[in-house]
């Protein structure tokens, strides 16, 4: 209950900071880009709308997670506001959970609005319903939560700038490993195969959440693969959350 109170104030704080203005401008940009792109495409303007919509939702949620998450806990320590909060009957765990839930609320609203705009354009231009569409937006949120927890983890052990840089490196490396793993050279080279396996073990496999191509090109994806993506994502979120709480509980706040 105390975590929800912290989450409420965190959510209100970010709303008052006008961070959600980016949704308005991104929605306008999405409308403009879709219109321009549809003029140069024949027969598939609906897919262009959905492609831009998924891309805008993914990028905006990642930026929110990285740049707001890097200061989510550290700012409270530096401004000494954390000392007043934990002096009351609230634990560090409840405080951290509340801050994270509050920011996840912003991520959810951001994705919900952009998703609504992109789907409206998609259906307006003649797009057909695809059962993978809800999974696509769910995975965008799930990926952003993982990235958020990664940047919080780095912010607890380094400074803000390094936390942002390291998180971007983790994000790009995760996708790079996946792309390299599909090459013939990597498959035929034992050393590279082992390095890729180690990379997949150490880093979050964010490629599990990228199903955009299956929607745009109407390819079939086995439902067990979707289930694996959900289970993997939730498990990784819980793992990162446990590590963050463990470090925060041991962190010297003096």
């Amino acid at each position: 209950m105390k975590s929800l109170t912290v989450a409420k104030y965190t959510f209100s704080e970010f709303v008052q900071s006008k961070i959600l203005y980016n949704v308005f401008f991104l929605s306008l940009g999405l409308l403009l880009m879709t219109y321009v792109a549809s003029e140069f495409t024949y027969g598939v303007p609906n897919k262009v709308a959905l492609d831009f919509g998924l891309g805008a939702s993914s990028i905006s949620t990642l930026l929110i997670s990285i740049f707001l998450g890097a200061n989510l806990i550290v700012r409270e320590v530096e401004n000494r506001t954390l000392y007043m909060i934990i002096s009351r009957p609230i634990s560090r765990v409840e405080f951290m959970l509340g801050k994270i839930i509050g920011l996840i609320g912003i991520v959810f609203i951001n994705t919900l609005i952009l998703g609504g705009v992109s789907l409206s354009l998609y259906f307006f231009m003649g797009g057909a319903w695809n059962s993978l569409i809800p999974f696509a937006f769910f995975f965008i949120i799930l990926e952003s939560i993982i990235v958020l927890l990664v940047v919080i983890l780095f912010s607890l052990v380094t400074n803000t700038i390094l936390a942002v840089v390291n998180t971007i490196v983790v994000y790009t490396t995760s996708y790079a490993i996946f792309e390299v793993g599909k090459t013939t050279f990597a498959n035929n080279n034992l050393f590279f195969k082992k390095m890729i396996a180690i990379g997949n073990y150490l880093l979050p496999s964010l490629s599990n959440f990228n199903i955009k191509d299956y929607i745009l090109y109407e390819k079939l994806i086995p439902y067990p693969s979707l289930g694996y993506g959900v289970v993997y994502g939730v498990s990784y979120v819980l793992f990162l959350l446990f590590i963050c709480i463990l470090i925060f509980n041991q962190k010297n706040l003096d």
Side-chain angles (χ1 to χ4, degrees):
M1 192 64 183
K2 296 175 183 177
S3 295
L4 294 180
T5 302
V6 175
K8 174 184 174 183
Y9 282 106
T10 302
F11 182 84
S12 300
E13 180 184 359
F14 282 126
V15 170
Q16 292 172 5
S17 69
K18 301 179 176 61
I19 187 64
L20 287 178
Y21 276 13
N22 86 94
V23 180
F24 173 73
F25 292 112
L26 280 173
S27 297
L28 288 179
L30 182 59
L31 290 170
L32 179 61
M33 287 189 298
T34 301
Y35 172 75
V36 172
S38 64
E39 292 297 311
F40 296 95
T41 57
Y42 300 95
V44 289
N46 53 349
K47 292 186 178 180
V48 172
L50 186 58
D51 190 11
F52 281 150
L54 289 171
S57 299
S58 179
I59 292 173
S60 61
T61 53
L62 285 173
L63 292 177
I64 289 174
S65 297
I66 292 174
F67 290 101
L68 296 186
N71 288 300
L72 188 65
I73 306 298
V74 175
R75 182 180 57 183
E76 303 290 346
V77 177
E78 293 177 347
N79 293 339
R80 302 289 177 176
T81 54
L82 177 60
Y83 297 92
M84 293 186 295
I85 296 173
I86 62 177
S87 64
R88 300 181 179 185
I90 181 172
S91 66
R92 293 190 184 189
V93 174
E94 292 171 322
F95 172 76
M96 171 172 276
L97 287 176
K99 298 292 288 185
I100 292 173
I101 293 172
L103 185 48
I104 289 175
I106 295 293
V107 168
F108 177 78
I109 294 297
N110 180 84
T111 307
L112 183 65
I113 296 175
L114 287 176
V117 172
S118 61
L119 287 179
S120 298
L121 287 170
Y122 174 69
F123 291 125
F124 177 76
M125 293 180 173
W129 172 254
N130 189 316
S131 60
L132 293 178
I133 290 176
F135 283 98
F137 286 103
F138 173 74
F139 282 146
I140 287 174
I141 295 174
L142 195 56
E143 180 184 69
S144 66
I145 295 174
I146 291 177
V147 171
L148 169 62
L149 292 174
V150 169
V151 76
I152 290 175
L153 176 60
F154 281 128
S155 71
L156 292 173
V157 296
T158 62
N159 57 49
T160 301
I161 296 177
L162 284 177
V164 171
V165 172
N166 289 335
T167 302
I168 293 174
V169 169
V170 168
Y171 177 81
T172 54
T173 303
S174 173
Y175 277 102
I177 289 175
F178 174 73
E179 294 299 328
V180 171
K182 295 191 297 184
T183 62
T184 304
F185 174 77
N187 289 324
N188 294 334
N189 190 299
L190 183 60
F191 173 76
F192 267 89
K193 288 182 68 174
K194 289 185 177 180
M195 293 298 295
I196 290 172
I198 293 174
N200 285 327
Y201 180 78
L202 296 176
L203 300 177
S205 298
L206 300 178
S207 57
N208 288 321
F209 310 129
N210 186 11
I211 61 172
K212 183 171 66 173
D213 288 347
Y214 289 95
I215 300 174
L216 297 178
Y217 301 110
E218 300 178 355
K219 297 189 295 184
L220 295 176
I221 180 173
Y223 277 98
S225 297
L226 290 176
Y228 173 78
V230 173
V231 172
Y232 175 83
V234 173
S235 300
Y236 213 94
V237 165
L238 294 176
F239 169 72
L240 289 174
L241 187 60
F242 172 76
I243 298 299
C244 288
I245 290 174
L246 186 65
I247 294 175
F248 188 56
N249 272 335
Q250 301 299 322
K251 187 175 179 62
N252 185 1
L253 300 179
D254 296 332

